[in-house]
Amino acid sequence: TSTRSLAFGDSLTEGYYNRGRKLHPYSQRLSSLFASVDSTVQIDTKGISGEKVTPSVVQRLAKILRQTGPDYYDHVIILGGTN
């Protein structure tokens, strides 16, 4: 069976590094780690650089969950407030 997860948050979720000149979401590495142990995990990455945790992240997460439905994701990883 496949597991569907959401990596959600701000710049670190989007993959911000090298002063914003490049992006490399941590979810890419996480996906490869799951694949290395033959685990099927699909991770959707929803990160926005510069976004503040409240109120915008809270509102954006609620909107995504309304659009996808309450049972669409098995897991939600939230990373925010790192600035």
Side-chain angles (χ1 to χ4, degrees):
T1 61
S2 179
T3 300
R4 182 178 290 265
S5 298
L6 171 64
F8 181 85
D10 51 23
S11 59
L12 294 180
T13 300
E14 185 178 31
Y16 181 97
Y17 81 101
N18 196 15
R19 299 181 189 255
R21 288 184 279 249
K22 295 184 179 182
L23 296 175
H24 189 277
Y26 68 84
S27 57
Q28 290 176 358
R29 176 69 176 138
L30 188 57
S31 292
S32 69
L33 290 170
F34 280 118
S36 73
V37 294
D38 295 325
S39 181
T40 306
V41 178
Q42 180 180 339
I43 303 175
D44 296 336
T45 303
K46 304 288 185 185
I48 297 179
S49 294
E51 189 168 55
K52 298 192 184 311
V53 172
T54 57
S56 57
V57 166
V58 174
Q59 293 168 347
R60 189 166 56 95
L61 179 58
K63 181 179 178 182
I64 289 171
L65 296 177
R66 275 193 310 274
Q67 291 173 340
T68 59
D71 297 325
Y72 188 75
Y73 290 110
D74 299 297
H75 306 280
V76 177
I77 306 162
I78 301 172
L79 180 61
T82 55
N83 294 332

